[in-house]
Amino acid sequence: TAGRMVIDAWPDPATTRLTIAVQSAVADQVTLQLCNVLGRMLREHSLQITPGVRTVDIEVGDLPRGMYLLACRSARATVLRKLMLQ
């Protein structure tokens, strides 16, 4: 599908650093947001993506253990993924 985005994150569960891969068929500006289960945004990272895969590392060692929601938002779509920090 044109404009479709796919996100992956590893390791899951993460301890100190989370690597996020954003795959897109089109160039776009995206915002990555890491939120806790209460919806509070704890990390935000904006990046320009080109067709293909773009990766970014986010430090998470100072965050409490538990379930988090990773959102990748663009003007075209929002993709969500659950992940664990331990």
Side-chain angles (χ1 to χ4, degrees), residues 7 18 20 30-36 39-47 58 68-74 78-81 83:
I7 60 172
L18 183 65
I20 301 165
V30 299
T31 302
L32 298 171
Q33 297 174 325
L34 185 64
C35 301
N36 65 15
R40 181 172 173 233
M41 186 174 44
L42 303 170
R43 295 286 187 276
E44 185 172 48
H45 190 85
S46 295
L47 64 150
I58 296 178
Y68 289 80
L69 187 65
L70 175 65
C72 182
R73 303 179 192 281
S74 74
T78 297
V79 180
L80 303 173
R81 186 184 191 287
L83 56 95

Side-chain angles (χ1 to χ4, degrees), residues 21-65:
V22 181
Q23 181 177 355
S24 178
V26 296
D28 209 346
Q29 179 72 30
V30 299
T31 302
L32 298 171
Q33 297 174 325
L34 185 64
C35 301
N36 65 15
V37 292
L38 300 176
R40 181 172 173 233
M41 186 174 44
L42 303 170
R43 295 286 187 276
E44 185 172 48
H45 190 85
S46 295
L47 64 150
Q48 183 68 37
I49 58 172
T50 55
V53 178
R54 171 85 190 267
T55 61
V56 63
D57 290 333
I58 296 178
E59 297 297 324
V60 295
D62 61 321
L63 298 177
R65 295 177 180 184

